Amino acid sequence: MADKFILFNDEKIDPTQLMMLTDLAQLIMEDNEVKVGYQKFGYFDPLEKELNVSFKWRHRGSELYALKSDCLLYGLGYSMQDQDAIHDMLETEVRHRKFFMQLFVMLEEQRLTRLIVRVRPAARKFFKTRRTLKRQDNASQLTVYRTKKMPTDLLFLQLEEALLTDNVLDLETSYSGIVDARLRELLSRAFDTLTTADSADIAIGMMYVIDDLLTRDMLNDYYYLPVKLLEDIKRFKEIKAVELDESAGESGHVETEEVLANSQSSDSESGSYMQTEIAEGRNSRIEAAGGRAGSDSDEVTEIMAGRGKSTAQKDGDGVDISEEVGEENSNVIIEWRTPVITPDTQVNYSLLQKEVLPEVRKLTSIIQKTIAHRSENTRTRLAKGLLDKKLTNWFLDEQKRLFYKKDQQSKELDATFTLLVDASYSMEDKIEETKKGIVLFHETLKKLLIRHEVMAFNEDTFSSDQHAQRNIFDYLVNYQESLSPAGGTGIASIKAQDDNRDGLAIRVAGEMIRRRSEQQKFLIVFSDGEPSAFSYESNGIIDTHEAVMNLRRQGVFVINIFLSQSPIDPQTEATIKNIYNDYCVFVEGVEKLPFIISPLLKKLLLQSLR
């Protein structure tokens, strides 16, 4: 179990917020593999499929709106940019290159904002907040630089102020009136730009006016252009183009730039694109695989070849699921164990069984009576069917409805359950009561002849490193043997151990239950906190959420039962609700668990009868 917030360069990142931004990024880019990270400046990296938002918005009054504007600007905006025009712009020779590149990015942001709001009117409020915050920053910085001898920074801020306030006509700098007039004329065109080339032309034109007048380049960074990333993307495209040309004669197939969008990420070190080493929320495979950092001399094909490949990862049925475990779990080693049943284990299970037996009898009786009632339910006064013995309706009913039908509903519940138990160390003070809840589930389902399975999961903390993470699944109740009279004894052997990689566990159990033939499929996750495993951190929140949503889309109903021995704080509750989309039950005081499970199981079983 991890703390609610993750430490991040002396900051604390809210996983719920990160998950929300990731959902937005994947929605607007129509790609479920896109991740969100926090960096000094926002930008989209198509090689890593990572959309970075700026942490400068942290602790601002409208932080979330500003971060969402980053997602829209760098997500939607990327597809609205002409990369060739950017490369042409970068080839322009100027003396003050830092000023030039930031000027171009500022003009492009102006254009992209206008276009995005046009196609997504609902985004207007996010960009309105963004502009307000930028104006506040600009005003405070202008106050400082007017008293310092930093004329280039001051000029840039004056140009930015004119754009942010839509007041280009009042632009005045420390240069001559002729220069100001020319700058005003060029800057006014920024409100009508349609293409990236238009923004580049304005930036180049302004450099022709001001470049020779500047005495030094800018000292600070207000906007960012990931030049190194752009070079790698261009090199990647060139290599792919050569490969396509070589294969064109055989297949006659010409691929588009979607090759880039659909390609897996490069292992070159993304940090080389940034002016910061902060990488919270990243999915850098170079870190996960322990590889070396990329260099300018590396070919993209060499970089791509450095991807780590895991050994076969199999589920409890022996099926290879290495393609289904998710990017965050690519280096996981899955180990399956079956419980060793000792005389003590049998005694302990008998005691647990005895404690929940009254509740089991009560619950099975309710379900069986409901099934019997629905099976015997008779519909009368029908136009066709079996002839009713009572023929009085021949005289009373003008439509002569004298027939009836018996509903022939199945007496078997067409459902299956998987119980997934977090066996991490933080469950130590809850594990005994959790066993009672699991036994209640198992015994009830067994009496109702509903096949199911129970497994516990944990990650070996001490053996895990960047190369491999050993995850242990204890197969406590096997699906095929779940109705056996002797089945279930292994539940008494559950022990709290190390860490919990929830996303992986849900994916593994989900792949197994997804293949079952029953119509209704329920995956119940017992846990006491957020995912916490080696190099998992905030990405574990996203990974778990994605695992849950993927199963929901495939018809598996995923529910979390959150266990706590103390009052659950609102922030933790909000995070769990976000992970499971409100399909969760919170239990404060695990001694109450059997009494909470009973109505839940009843509701789910009755639902499967519909």
Side-chain angles (χ1 to χ4, degrees), residues 5 9 15 24 45 68 86 106 131 150 192 198 225 234 244 286 302 458 467 499 516 521 537 589 591:
F5 292 98
N9 195 41
L24 174 61
D45 179 351
K68 286 184 176 182
I86 295 176
M106 179 175 69
R131 173 168 287 209
M150 299 173 66
D192 300 311
D198 292 342
L225 185 65
K234 183 179 181 181
L244 290 173
I286 202 71
E302 294 172 345
N458 75 93
H467 302 292
D499 285 340
R516 306 306 181 206
K521 301 177 177 69
E537 299 179 337
E591 68 279 356

Side-chain angles (χ1 to χ4, degrees), residues 12 79 87 117 124 143 206 256 324 363 503 544 610:
K12 291 182 178 181
S79 63
H87 285 289
V117 170
R124 187 181 302 277
T143 302
M206 295 180 78
T256 67
E324 312 297 335
L363 189 54
T544 306
R610 294 174 185 171

Side-chain angles (χ1 to χ4, degrees), residues 586-602:
F586 295 92
V587 182
E588 294 182 350
V590 290
E591 68 279 356
K592 305 173 186 175
L593 183 59
F595 307 104
I596 291 174
I597 281 180
S598 185
L600 172 64
L601 182 54
K602 174 185 173 183

Side-chain angles (χ1 to χ4, degrees), residues 44-251:
F44 176 62
D45 179 351
L47 296 178
E48 290 280 357
K49 286 195 176 183
E50 182 169 38
L51 197 161
N52 290 297
V53 296
S54 175
F55 60 73
K56 73 179 179 181
W57 305 121
R58 300 303 305 268
H59 312 303
R60 308 293 288 267
S62 304
E63 174 184 331
L64 186 58
Y65 272 25
L67 291 169
K68 286 184 176 182
S69 75
D70 270 2
C71 284
L72 289 159
L73 181 65
Y74 304 116
L76 279 182
Y78 183 82
S79 63
M80 297 176 176
Q81 287 186 302
D82 181 348
Q83 301 300 318
D84 291 335
I86 295 176
H87 285 289
D88 291 342
M89 180 273 301
L90 289 173
E91 292 177 2
T92 305
E93 293 186 6
V94 294
R95 291 174 53 205
H96 302 91
R97 194 157 191 80
K98 195 171 181 181
F99 179 90
F100 175 50
M101 287 194 296
Q102 292 195 61
L103 178 62
F104 165 75
V105 176
M106 179 175 69
L107 293 167
E108 245 323 60
E109 182 172 316
Q110 172 80 13
R111 181 184 73 87
L112 293 173
T113 298
R114 191 172 64 252
L115 293 179
I116 291 169
V117 170
R118 185 180 302 165
V119 299
R120 297 285 181 104
R124 187 181 302 277
K125 58 181 177 291
F126 303 136
F127 286 100
K128 183 179 179 181
T129 297
R130 181 188 189 87
R131 173 168 287 209
T132 299
L133 294 176
K134 276 183 165 288
R135 287 181 64 177
Q136 292 172 1
D137 292 342
N138 178 269
S140 63
Q141 289 162 343
L142 276 172
T143 302
V144 172
Y145 291 122
R146 282 193 176 104
T147 61
K148 291 185 176 182
K149 293 182 179 180
M150 299 173 66
T152 310
D153 285 70
L154 178 60
L155 172 61
F156 184 86
L157 292 170
Q158 289 171 328
L159 296 173
E160 183 186 42
E161 180 188 33
L163 285 177
L164 292 174
T165 59
D166 295 332
N167 193 15
V168 173
L169 296 179
D170 289 339
L171 173 67
E172 289 186 0
T173 70
S174 59
Y175 300 97
S176 67
I178 296 175
V179 170
D180 286 353
R182 185 61 179 144
L183 290 176
R184 285 195 292 267
E185 190 272 329
L186 287 166
L187 198 59
S188 63
R189 299 181 190 175
F191 298 100
D192 300 311
T193 49
L194 298 176
T195 66
T196 301
D198 292 342
S199 298
D201 288 344
I202 296 173
I204 293 169
M206 295 180 78
M207 291 307 295
Y208 286 154
V209 174
I210 203 70
D211 201 18
D212 291 337
L213 301 176
L214 300 175
T215 57
R216 65 172 67 176
D217 209 343
M218 290 174 64
L219 295 178
N220 296 308
D221 299 307
Y222 309 97
Y223 294 84
Y224 176 68
L225 185 65
V227 177
K228 178 65 170 62
L229 172 61
L230 293 172
E231 292 172 354
D232 282 357
I233 293 171
K234 183 179 181 181
R235 187 168 50 167
F236 179 85
K237 288 182 178 180
E238 290 171 350
I239 292 173
K240 293 300 292 184
V242 171
E243 292 175 356
L244 290 173
D245 287 342
E246 292 175 351
S247 61
E250 299 176 6
S251 64

Side-chain angles (χ1 to χ4, degrees), residues 10-27:
D10 298 327
E11 288 284 332
K12 291 182 178 181
I13 295 302
D14 183 352
T16 302
Q17 180 188 83
L18 183 60
M19 186 162 53
M20 189 182 305
L21 294 175
T22 301
D23 285 344
L24 174 61
Q26 293 178 348
L27 176 66

Side-chain angles (χ1 to χ4, degrees), residues 90 110 120 193 218 287 301 327 362 409-410 448 485 495 505 595:
L90 289 173
Q110 172 80 13
R120 297 285 181 104
T193 49
M218 290 174 64
E287 294 173 6
T301 49
E327 182 181 335
K362 178 181 175 183
Q409 292 187 332
S410 172
L448 293 171
K495 293 181 180 179
F595 307 104

Side-chain angles (χ1 to χ4, degrees), residues 190-359:
F191 298 100
D192 300 311
T193 49
L194 298 176
T195 66
T196 301
D198 292 342
S199 298
D201 288 344
I202 296 173
I204 293 169
M206 295 180 78
M207 291 307 295
Y208 286 154
V209 174
I210 203 70
D211 201 18
D212 291 337
L213 301 176
L214 300 175
T215 57
R216 65 172 67 176
D217 209 343
M218 290 174 64
L219 295 178
N220 296 308
D221 299 307
Y222 309 97
Y223 294 84
Y224 176 68
L225 185 65
V227 177
K228 178 65 170 62
L229 172 61
L230 293 172
E231 292 172 354
D232 282 357
I233 293 171
K234 183 179 181 181
R235 187 168 50 167
F236 179 85
K237 288 182 178 180
E238 290 171 350
I239 292 173
K240 293 300 292 184
V242 171
E243 292 175 356
L244 290 173
D245 287 342
E246 292 175 351
S247 61
E250 299 176 6
S251 64
H253 176 65
V254 179
E255 296 188 33
T256 67
E257 288 193 6
E258 290 180 4
V259 170
L260 177 61
N262 295 326
S263 296
Q264 296 299 319
S265 67
S266 158
D267 273 346
S268 59
E269 185 178 354
S270 297
S272 65
Y273 306 144
M274 302 306 300
Q275 297 176 355
T276 173
E277 293 179 357
I278 298 168
E280 179 61 41
R282 295 191 55 76
N283 289 311
S284 175
R285 294 188 183 93
I286 202 71
E287 294 173 6
R292 65 171 179 84
S295 70
D296 292 342
S297 63
D298 287 337
E299 291 297 328
V300 173
T301 49
E302 294 172 345
I303 295 172
M304 297 294 286
R307 292 184 59 200
K309 294 184 179 179
S310 64
T311 55
Q313 297 161 320
K314 296 184 178 181
D315 63 20
D317 296 328
V319 177
D320 187 343
I321 56 169
S322 54
E323 296 297 322
E324 312 297 335
V325 297
E327 182 181 335
E328 293 299 325
N329 310 302
S330 58
N331 293 317
V332 161
I333 297 172
I334 297 175
E335 178 182 320
W336 287 91
R337 301 188 309 198
T338 54
V340 177
I341 307 302
T342 64
D344 286 343
T345 306
Q346 292 175 331
V347 170
N348 291 334
Y349 186 79
S350 296
L351 293 174
L352 292 169
Q353 196 176 28
K354 185 176 181 181
E355 284 194 60
V356 301
L357 189 57
E359 212 45 51

